[in-house]
Amino acid sequence: MAVKQSDSVLPSAREEILRASGDGPTEQLLLCTGVESTTHDVKTFTFEPAGPPGPRPLRHAPGQYLTFTFEIGGAEFCRCYTIASPPTRPRTASITVKRVPGGTVSNWLHDHLTPGTALRSRGPLGEFSMHRHPADKYLFLCAGSGITPAMSMTRTLYDLADPADVIFINSARSPEDIIFRRELERITATAKNIRVTHICEAEAPAEHWEGHRGRLTLDVLRQIAPDFRDREVFTCGPPPYMDAVRRMLTDAGFPMEHHHQETFEAPPPADTPPAADTPTFAVELTRSGLTIECDAATPLLEAASRSGITLPSSCGRGMCGSCMATLVEGAVEMQHNGGISPRDRAQNKILLCCSTPLEDLAVDA
């Protein structure tokens, strides 16, 4: 059965959402205005535009993200964080971050970011949004902090009183690790078209878990969403979780053109050497005065890394925009995932992580 296109979102509201990311990403300072503990190892940070006082909306589509630049210990770090708040509440934007053992940025955020601190950001970015795939029925599958884009989309539908049917399946380690648990309970108590199910691998010390146990399987999915094949599916979580979901849906005969997923983790470098007849070009990095070789099958960022040169980057997938540079001379082929706007491309900007050379190049990097 085909997934129907939805007219359920109010037309004026839908137009506002569609307009949200129409101008592409912008760079701006965001001022932290609030910090809230969401679970024992997760915090939510709320921001508004820095600068003169007055209402200035932060326009974005539900599910999009921002790239932040942090200065920690004399070094710069770029990280992508989904905007967990909905575009229906445009005066602020919030991100929800899990503390990662040994994680430089997540630990800095938890230990040092306080209201009044300004951070550099770029965005909104990303194609992972229900506004690009409108439907009458949605299935949100998430695990861990991958809950944030599903939460932004759910909050948006809830705020708009949208009648779209939503099944939200969230996997967590234990009940105490369920992010946004109380808010989701409030949403489901007042919106009968939104159903939320949590799956926990283990119990919490202070709570006996009576819900689904273990991990998401096809049998469990059929119990919770017997009509899952008729839904538009959005998946976000750790790469092993998303790989398992993709295999499960494929094996079940799900129409994968209606499956969408997002990850900010960089893919590993390709192990396969280029074909013997692949041409190689000289790439001048004008800022450093160095010249490297790069074949037509290798992204510029990877070629620089192989030459011992570290350039700014984060996602490695053409999503975050942190490796953007100006192409001074030459031509490239660029296969990006939403991390660069038409305006940037018109100014000869490229993303080094997903651009391969078509001839000798000069790049401002």
Side-chain angles (χ1 to χ4, degrees):
M1 180 178 177
V3 177
K4 295 181 180 179
Q5 296 301 302
S6 174
D7 291 321
S8 58
V9 178
L10 299 174
S12 59
R14 183 192 287 119
E15 290 171 6
E16 284 297 313
I17 293 172
L18 289 172
R19 194 181 303 129
S21 57
D23 295 332
T26 59
E27 295 186 3
Q28 62 180 321
L29 276 178
L30 293 181
L31 185 71
C32 178
T33 58
V35 179
E36 177 185 355
S37 292
T38 310
T39 72
H40 63 99
D41 61 354
V42 174
K43 287 186 177 182
T44 293
F45 303 90
T46 301
F47 299 90
E48 63 182 28
R56 283 168 295 155
L58 285 162
R59 298 190 182 278
H60 64 94
Q64 286 192 302
Y65 61 90
L66 296 169
T67 299
F68 288 88
T69 301
F70 304 91
E71 295 183 8
I72 304 172
E76 275 195 358
F77 298 85
C78 292
R79 293 293 186 272
C80 304
Y81 291 109
T82 298
I83 305 170
S85 52
T88 46
R89 311 171 200 177
R91 302 306 179 197
T92 61
S94 65
I95 62 173
T96 299
V97 182
K98 177 181 174 63
R99 184 192 290 272
V100 178
T104 301
V105 173
S106 68
N107 281 278
W108 182 88
L109 284 168
H110 275 245
D111 295 336
H112 299 289
L113 183 59
T114 56
T117 303
L119 296 176
R120 286 182 288 157
S121 73
R122 183 173 183 274
L125 297 156
E127 307 292 322
F128 186 75
S129 176
M130 67 182 190
H131 92 279
R132 297 186 184 278
H133 308 281
D136 289 325
K137 297 177 11 175
Y138 293 103
L139 173 60
F140 298 150
L141 302 175
C142 52
S145 55
I147 195 173
T148 51
M151 197 64 189
S152 178
M153 291 187 274
T154 300
R155 285 167 164 163
T156 301
L157 293 168
Y158 180 76
D159 285 355
L160 295 174
D162 190 291
D165 186 272
V166 176
I167 294 181
F168 188 126
I169 304 177
N170 173 50
S171 296
R173 288 178 302 179
S174 74
E176 68 179 7
D177 295 297
I178 297 174
I179 302 171
F180 306 126
R181 183 178 180 181
R182 301 306 176 201
E183 182 180 354
L184 286 168
E185 289 173 353
R186 291 193 296 270
I187 288 174
T188 57
T190 54
K192 301 306 180 185
N193 58 309
I194 300 176
R195 289 166 285 167
V196 177
T197 299
H198 302 293
I199 303 172
C200 292
E201 293 186 26
E203 295 184 353
E207 180 178 356
H208 172 66
W209 181 246
E210 297 182 351
H212 288 275
R213 295 286 297 271
R215 298 187 178 185
L216 178 64
T217 64
L218 184 56
D219 286 342
V220 172
L221 179 60
R222 286 177 174 142
Q223 292 175 37
I224 301 170
D227 62 344
F228 70 91
R229 291 182 183 86
D230 303 332
R231 295 177 177 271
E232 202 76 20
V233 178
F234 290 84
T235 304
C236 191
Y241 171 84
M242 292 192 297
D243 291 343
V245 167
R246 175 173 282 275
R247 288 194 303 271
M248 178 179 66
L249 293 177
T250 301
D251 293 345
F254 182 81
M256 295 305 287
E257 65 270 21
H258 295 292
H259 173 257
H260 319 281
Q261 69 178 44
E262 181 169 74
T263 180
F264 298 137
E265 296 198 16
D271 294 329
T272 306
D277 59 349
T278 302
T280 297
F281 303 104
V283 179
E284 179 187 359
L285 305 176
T286 60
R287 198 176 305 173
S288 61
L290 300 173
T291 298
I292 62 173
E293 289 189 345
C294 182
D295 63 74
T298 300
L300 299 173
L301 184 67
E302 184 177 334
S305 178
R306 290 177 179 177
S307 299
I309 300 170
T310 301
L311 297 173
S313 67
S314 181
C315 75
R317 294 178 179 271
M319 297 172 64
C320 72
S322 61
C323 65
M324 188 182 298
T326 300
L327 182 63
V328 180
E329 293 181 6
V332 301
E333 181 177 355
M334 181 169 59
Q335 301 291 332
H336 67 91
N337 286 305
I340 188 169
S341 69
R343 181 173 54 198
D344 290 327
R345 294 198 297 273
Q347 296 173 351
N348 293 324
K349 303 289 186 180
I350 61 173
L351 300 181
L352 300 178
C353 69
C354 56
S355 296
T356 53
L358 299 174
E359 57 186 344
D360 290 344
L361 306 176
V363 179
D364 182 22

